[in-house]
Amino acid sequence: MKSARAKTPRKPTVKKGSQTNLKDPVGVYCRVRPLGFPDQECCIEVINNTTVQLHTPEGYRLNRNGDYKETQYSFKQVFGTHTTQKELFDVVANPLVNDLIHGKNGLLFTYGVTGSGKTHTMTGSPGEGGLLPRCLDMIFNSIGSFQAKRYVFKSNDRNSMDIQCEVDALLERQKREAMPNPKTSSSKRQVDPEFADMITVQEFCKAEEVDEDSVYGVFVSYIEIYNNYIYDLLEEVPFDPIKPKPPQSKLLREDKNHNMYVAGCTEVEVKSTEEAFEVFWRGQKKRRIANTHLNRESSRSHSVFNIKLVQAPLDADGDNVLQEKEQITISQLSLVDLAGSERTNRTRAEGSRLREAGNINQSLMTLRTCMDVLRENQMYGTNKMVPYRDSKLTHLFKNYFDGEGKVRMIVCVNPKAEDYEENLQVMRFAEVTQEVEVARPVDKAICGLTPGRRYRNQPRGPVGNEPLVTDVVLQSFPPLPSCEILDINDEQTLPRLIEALEKRHHLRQMMIDEFNKQSNAFKALLQEFDNAVLSKENHMQGKLNEKEKMISGQKLEIERLEKKNKTLEYKIEILEKTTTIYEEDKRNLQQELETQNQKLQRQFSDKRRLEARLQGMVTETTMKWEKECERRVAAKQLEMQNKLWVKDEKLKQLKAIVTEPKTEKPERPSRERDREKVTQRSVSPSPVPLLFQPDQNAPPIRLRHRRSRSAGDRWVDHKPASNMQTETVMQPHVPHAITVSVANEKALAKCEKYMLTHQELASDGEIETKLIKGDIYKTRGGGQSVQFTDIETLKQESPNGSRKRRSSTVAPAQPDGAESEWTDVETRCSVAVEMRAGSQLGPGYQHHAQPKRKKP
């Protein structure tokens, strides 16, 4: 799309004669042309006088599943194949011509694909004139006797008219007649037989209520828009056989009322239908047409035939035109024959024909875009700019869509199946156009002069062409003799004249007497008529009094009913207020009820969540205790098995002593030797099982320090002042560490690792120490941040809380206590052997568990 040259937008101005509150939709009509052949496939069916239906022809499938689609479109009126030009004109164009004569503008254009009958509808054919000749015929039938003389109105180049007096107009006519090649007047010229049949209209059509106190002038112009350029088809270009001069394109201008017009366009004043159509036919021959694959005479341009009607009132005497330019009323009817939209793959256009088709489609697309934007602005209240300037066609007629007249469109369609897709696009455009509304123009202002001025000073008989009474009376008198005296001695002329005058006087006296008699009789008749009228007036006065009494009674009844009505209205108002209060209370109660319901729902949902949570906790606790019971049962079973094994060993030793009396002591298994070496347990709980404690003769155990896995890095050892010193064997020790009680930026800047010693009270009452470790990173702002990576836990636990010593009843107590200690160590070892990593008996058992030995 070509973009128009940028221009500063102007604020919209309120134009004369436009009404913003009253709007009419664009009238869209549909005309269906007959098929070329009776057996041709048809894709359009007329349902009724306002609806048509499109059928998908054979071979066209809109959906992939093969379904055929039928669509209906509505119009203001649909004209079928048998519609005559007269019927179409009466419905569509007649109101526009009537508005034109009454000072209002109009736009009528035909739209459709190539070969759909647009030019036939607008121009017509021999023997069947189209809309254009019928409009001209109606105009001249209406204003024929009220036309101004030629050149009284004179066109200027500012889209307005000037008025000339009768003398100037006469001089202009004489000047034109004295030219070398004067144009013959239409009354003296024969009609061209080429178009004589088109303008021969049998039906007489005339506008109603034509202003008789005005004079009219008709001016026509004819232009075409070809490749988005405007050309004047009536421009007289001198013929040069050697170097022919191409026609010059015209420019669009804006007048003082912000109306668009073609600057320098030829406007011809015409006085009859024949003369106007001859001017049109002269321009029609210059219009660009071409032979395409779809149409033998296809229009390659948009043609616009403008009929401008100029109207000026007569002066107060009714003799001459009022010489005031402000009183001139100019109305215009534009008849537009749009070029047909077409697809190049069907027309098989090439070269210049292809460029013409592209420009035609582009201008029609701009027209559709303008309609879409206008419809969107009116329906949704938006204020988008309508792209009128993108095309000369839309720019020329922007005033009509802004409220300068009525707009009518005739959609011409060809029902043959080959034009189905083009007709579908035409129908969609028509559907959008019908939703566009145009402001309704108001009637013209009245000049303020007395009506009936034209015939005021023209004598007319009372009835038709009958003579006046004075003429009849004068003719009844005897004729006067000759009064010429040629001789002094002439004594006959004067006596004859005196006698004739006496006769006339006597006749006059008789006529006066007769007139008096008739006047007296007429006075008597008038008196009788007055008496009759008086009696009738009295009768009517009596009836009027009765009616007045009835009216007064009805007024009293009305007043009573009004008072009653006011009382009822007051009661109704009180009831409405009470109802409003009750409704307000009802709404408040309903809101309170809804609030309580929501509160109950929340409480119920909280209760359900709590029940589900408690149920989960109960289930988890149950499973936990079940596992604990299973573990304790397994430990008890293992303990009992170990006791049985010890008894079996003792029995074997006794049997060996009895059967083999030897002095040396039998060897025990490694498990028994380890148990014999176990020393007596200390009273205080040990953090490590006694299985790994040295015997009494062994040297004292030196406390070992756990070495960090990152001993090569420098650490910040953060030990809060509130921590307590524990007595566990395993103690954290990090070399090259900076010990602080409160973390500070200086210490963090010197180290790469960080360790926080945290103490808390476990569930069994013992102190649990956690070593929280992390890495130190430098931040972008120059500080340090710590990212924690690992946690180690140290916990001290008493073995008495989880196991019982062997009671004295299991084995006899030895005097030195060795047997009880051995049994206790054995039991503890067996339990320690059974434990695994992850057991719940404490951290000591997790670090020092041993695999269980097999029985020998």
Side-chain angles (χ1 to χ4, degrees):
M1 179 183 295
K2 280 187 176 179
S3 61
R5 187 172 55 185
K7 186 175 180 181
T8 305
R10 181 176 57 237
K11 293 183 179 179
T13 57
V14 180
K15 300 182 180 179
K16 283 186 179 181
S18 64
Q19 286 181 328
T20 56
N21 53 351
L22 296 177
K23 290 186 177 183
D24 294 322
V26 176
V28 181
Y29 303 86
C30 179
R31 186 179 192 183
V32 183
R33 68 163 291 176
L35 289 171
F37 304 98
D39 56 346
Q40 209 170 6
E41 185 181 2
C42 180
C43 67
I44 296 179
E45 178 186 359
V46 178
I47 303 298
N48 50 41
N49 60 347
T50 59
T51 309
V52 296
Q53 179 171 317
L54 263 70
H55 302 279
T56 306
E58 296 292 336
Y60 288 87
R61 299 196 175 185
L62 297 182
N63 302 324
R64 292 184 178 180
N65 54 5
D67 295 337
Y68 289 101
K69 187 176 181 182
E70 295 181 353
T71 312
Q72 291 187 358
Y73 295 92
S74 298
F75 297 88
K76 193 169 184 179
Q77 188 166 342
V78 176
F79 300 96
T81 57
H82 301 289
T83 302
T84 61
Q85 300 278 47
K86 174 67 168 56
E87 295 172 353
L88 182 66
F89 170 79
D90 291 340
V91 176
V92 181
N94 191 311
L96 294 178
V97 178
N98 196 35
D99 289 345
L100 176 73
I101 295 174
H102 290 88
K104 299 178 184 178
N105 298 329
L107 171 63
L108 174 62
F109 59 96
T110 55
Y111 182 85
V113 301
T114 300
S116 58
K118 300 184 298 300
T119 304
H120 171 76
T121 300
M122 188 62 70
T123 307
S125 58
E128 192 175 10
L131 299 180
L132 190 148
R134 291 178 184 273
C135 290
L136 293 172
D137 188 67
M138 180 177 175
I139 291 171
F140 287 107
N141 288 339
S142 303
I143 65 168
S145 58
F146 308 130
Q147 290 191 71
K149 293 182 180 180
R150 200 181 293 269
Y151 305 122
V152 170
F153 297 110
K154 189 174 182 181
S155 175
N156 55 29
D157 294 334
R158 297 180 299 276
N159 199 29
S160 60
M161 289 287 173
D162 297 329
I163 303 178
Q164 297 188 127
C165 62
E166 292 288 344
V167 177
D168 293 339
L170 179 61
L171 293 175
E172 183 77 17
R173 288 195 298 271
Q174 291 177 355
K175 179 181 177 181
R176 295 295 179 95
E177 290 175 0
M179 291 177 66
N181 295 321
K183 294 181 180 179
T184 311
S185 176
S186 60
S187 60
K188 302 177 182 179
R189 183 172 50 237
Q190 292 184 352
V191 180
D192 191 345
E194 189 176 1
F195 57 84
D197 293 340
M198 293 186 185
I199 61 175
T200 303
V201 180
Q202 302 295 333
E203 303 85 1
F204 181 82
C205 189
K206 181 180 179 181
E208 299 177 357
E209 299 180 0
V210 180
D211 187 6
E212 297 179 350
D213 295 322
S214 299
V215 292
Y216 299 87
V218 181
F219 292 81
V220 296
S221 60
Y222 196 19
I223 63 172
E224 72 169 352
I225 302 175
Y226 176 73
N227 287 340
N228 208 26
Y229 289 99
I230 300 177
Y231 297 97
D232 185 4
L233 296 177
L234 302 181
E235 186 177 15
E236 297 292 340
V237 180
F239 178 71
D240 189 355
I242 300 175
K243 188 178 181 181
K245 186 178 180 181
Q248 297 295 320
S249 62
K250 303 296 180 180
L251 299 177
L252 287 177
R253 290 285 184 267
E254 193 175 45
D255 61 9
K256 61 181 180 180
N257 296 323
H258 307 296
N259 294 322
M260 305 306 300
Y261 70 98
V262 181
C265 180
T266 305
E267 291 184 341
V268 181
E269 185 178 8
V270 292
K271 294 296 180 183
S272 64
T273 304
E274 294 79 7
E275 184 181 0
F277 199 82
E278 183 183 358
V279 173
F280 164 77
W281 198 255
R282 189 169 69 246
Q284 185 75 358
K285 291 180 179 179
K286 297 181 182 179
R287 189 182 176 188
R288 291 171 173 85
I289 60 174
N291 183 10
T292 65
H293 186 69
L294 298 180
N295 192 356
R296 186 170 57 88
E297 294 182 355
S298 176
S299 302
R300 312 309 296 167
S301 63
H302 309 299
S303 68
V304 182
F305 187 75
N306 292 318
I307 305 173
K308 186 177 291 186
L309 182 66
V310 187
Q311 179 179 355
L314 295 173
D315 57 8
D317 297 332
D319 297 331
N320 300 313
V321 182
L322 190 64
Q323 298 292 316
E324 293 183 9
K325 191 174 180 180
E326 294 77 13
Q327 296 294 334
I328 296 178
T329 301
I330 301 176
S331 55
Q332 180 172 297
L333 175 61
S334 298
L335 304 177
V336 185
D337 182 13
L338 296 177
S341 60
E342 56 189 25
R343 290 188 298 168
T344 55
N345 58 350
R346 291 192 60 202
T347 57
R348 301 176 186 176
E350 296 178 354
S352 60
R353 298 285 88 83
L354 182 62
R355 185 164 60 92
E356 291 169 355
N359 288 311
I360 292 170
N361 295 334
Q362 183 64 40
S363 60
L364 296 178
M365 183 60 68
T366 304
L367 178 62
R368 296 181 186 180
T369 305
C370 293
M371 292 297 179
D372 288 333
V373 176
L374 283 171
R375 170 177 168 270
E376 184 177 353
N377 289 342
Q378 293 172 4
M379 292 184 65
Y380 304 109
T382 57
N383 194 20
K384 292 184 178 180
M385 187 180 69
V386 184
Y388 291 121
R389 293 177 177 270
D390 291 353
S391 172
K392 292 291 183 10
L393 177 67
T394 54
H395 195 193
L396 178 62
F397 298 118
K398 67 179 289 291
N399 308 108
Y400 290 97
F401 297 106
D402 289 342
E404 287 297 327
K406 290 184 179 179
V407 181
R408 296 288 183 267
M409 181 176 74
I410 301 176
V411 176
C412 299
V413 292
N414 192 340
K416 64 180 182 179
E418 290 80 2
D419 289 348
Y420 171 75
E421 292 185 0
E422 288 84 353
N423 289 332
L424 192 63
Q425 299 298 325
V426 169
M427 293 296 179
R428 290 173 181 170
F429 171 66
E431 191 175 28
V432 173
T433 306
Q434 288 184 102
E435 299 178 359
V436 176
E437 293 182 346
V438 178
R440 183 186 303 174
V442 297
D443 296 331
K444 65 177 182 178
I446 301 175
C447 63
L449 298 175
T450 306
R453 303 183 300 279
R454 180 182 291 271
Y455 300 109
R456 179 184 301 170
N457 298 325
Q458 297 181 6
R460 292 188 299 175
V463 180
N465 295 323
E466 293 182 3
L468 298 176
V469 178
T470 55
D471 296 338
V472 176
V473 172
L474 291 175
Q475 289 176 5
S476 63
F477 286 163
L480 293 175
S482 176
C483 299
E484 185 179 2
I485 299 176
L486 300 176
D487 191 3
I488 299 176
N489 299 323
D490 189 359
E491 297 180 354
Q492 296 180 356
T493 301
L494 290 176
R496 283 200 301 270
L497 181 60
I498 293 171
E499 184 181 0
L501 291 175
E502 287 178 350
K503 287 183 180 179
R504 285 199 170 199
H505 178 71
H506 179 68
L507 184 60
R508 179 174 177 273
Q509 192 65 35
M510 290 176 59
M511 292 177 68
I512 289 173
D513 295 339
E514 184 68 22
F515 177 74
N516 291 331
K517 289 180 181 179
Q518 291 183 1
S519 62
N520 292 331
F522 185 69
K523 286 180 181 179
L525 291 175
L526 284 177
Q527 187 67 32
E528 291 178 1
F529 182 73
D530 290 340
N531 294 332
V533 169
L534 184 61
S535 62
K536 286 184 179 181
E537 284 181 353
N538 294 331
H539 179 68
M540 294 301 293
Q541 187 67 32
K543 288 188 176 182
L544 186 61
N545 293 333
E546 293 178 359
K547 295 292 184 183
E548 286 180 352
K549 290 181 181 179
M550 186 183 300
I551 289 171
S552 61
Q554 290 178 354
K555 285 182 178 179
L556 293 175
E557 181 68 18
I558 289 172
E559 290 178 357
R560 187 183 65 81
L561 292 175
E562 285 179 352
K563 291 180 180 179
K564 185 177 180 180
N565 189 22
K566 289 181 179 179
T567 305
L568 293 175
E569 286 179 353
Y570 178 71
K571 291 182 180 180
I572 289 172
E573 186 178 357
I574 294 174
L575 291 174
E576 286 178 350
K577 290 181 179 179
T578 307
T579 305
T580 305
I581 294 171
Y582 286 157
E583 287 179 352
E584 185 68 24
D585 293 340
K586 180 182 176 182
R587 283 195 297 269
N588 294 333
L589 291 174
Q590 285 180 350
Q591 291 178 359
E592 186 177 357
L593 180 61
E594 290 177 357
T595 305
Q596 294 295 333
N597 287 334
Q598 293 176 0
K599 187 176 180 180
L600 289 175
Q601 290 291 337
R602 287 196 298 269
Q603 290 178 356
F604 182 68
S605 60
D606 293 342
K607 182 180 177 181
R608 285 188 296 180
R609 285 197 299 269
L610 185 58
E611 288 178 353
R613 184 178 177 185
L614 291 175
Q615 185 68 26
M617 292 175 64
V618 169
T619 304
E620 184 179 357
T621 306
T622 304
M623 293 176 63
K624 182 177 179 181
W625 281 106
E626 285 179 355
K627 291 181 179 179
E628 182 66 21
C629 291
E630 290 177 358
R631 185 187 61 76
R632 291 184 181 182
V633 169
K636 197 66 176 177
Q637 288 178 356
L638 181 60
E639 183 182 356
M640 297 302 293
Q641 288 178 1
N642 289 333
K643 288 180 180 180
L644 290 176
W645 180 76
V646 171
K647 288 181 180 180
D648 290 340
E649 290 294 328
K650 287 182 179 180
L651 289 175
K652 288 180 181 179
Q653 291 176 5
L654 290 175
K655 185 176 181 182
I657 293 172
V658 173
T659 55
E660 297 180 4
K662 294 182 180 180
T663 58
E664 55 182 332
K665 191 175 181 180
E667 282 191 16
R668 292 176 58 196
S670 59
R671 180 186 294 273
E672 293 178 5
R673 289 198 298 270
D674 293 338
R675 282 202 297 271
E676 287 177 356
K677 294 179 182 179
V678 174
T679 58
Q680 186 179 359
R681 294 189 303 168
S682 62
V683 179
S684 62
S686 174
V688 184
L690 295 178
L691 176 63
F692 299 99
Q693 292 183 0
D695 57 1
Q696 296 176 356
N697 299 324
I701 299 174
R702 186 173 60 85
L703 296 176
R704 292 190 301 112
H705 295 283
R706 289 182 58 194
R707 182 171 178 82
S708 171
R709 283 177 285 181
S710 304
D713 299 326
R714 293 201 66 182
W715 287 75
V716 176
D717 190 2
H718 182 188
K719 293 183 178 180
S722 59
N723 286 0
M724 297 176 61
Q725 185 67 27
T726 59
E727 298 179 357
T728 58
V729 175
M730 309 294 284
Q731 290 289 336
H733 174 69
V734 180
H736 307 293
I738 300 175
T739 304
V740 294
S741 60
V742 178
N744 54 63
E745 185 177 357
K746 183 176 181 181
L748 293 173
K750 296 179 180 181
C751 301
E752 295 83 13
K753 299 289 184 177
Y754 173 83
M755 181 173 68
L756 171 64
T757 304
H758 172 68
Q759 289 184 346
E760 62 182 9
L761 195 63
S763 60
D764 55 357
E766 296 292 340
I767 295 176
E768 185 179 55
T769 304
K770 291 186 177 180
L771 304 178
I772 305 173
K773 298 183 292 183
D775 296 332
I776 300 174
Y777 296 97
K778 291 184 180 181
T779 61
R780 188 174 294 179
Q784 287 79 24
S785 64
V786 178
Q787 181 177 0
F788 295 105
T789 59
D790 192 11
I791 298 176
E792 291 186 9
T793 305
L794 298 177
K795 184 178 178 183
Q796 188 173 357
E797 186 177 290
S798 176
N800 293 332
S802 60
R803 296 183 302 277
K804 292 182 181 180
R805 293 174 179 239
R806 183 184 293 274
S807 63
S808 59
T809 56
V810 178
Q814 301 295 329
D816 54 352
E819 182 65 23
S820 61
E821 291 175 3
W822 180 85
T823 305
D824 190 71
V825 171
E826 180 185 15
T827 303
R828 290 198 321 225
C829 289
S830 64
V831 174
V833 168
E834 185 65 17
M835 293 301 102
R836 299 184 303 273
S839 174
Q840 300 295 326
L841 293 181
Y845 289 101
Q846 294 177 17
H847 291 298
H848 304 286
Q850 296 291 335
K852 184 178 178 180
R853 293 183 181 179
K854 295 183 181 180
K855 294 182 180 180

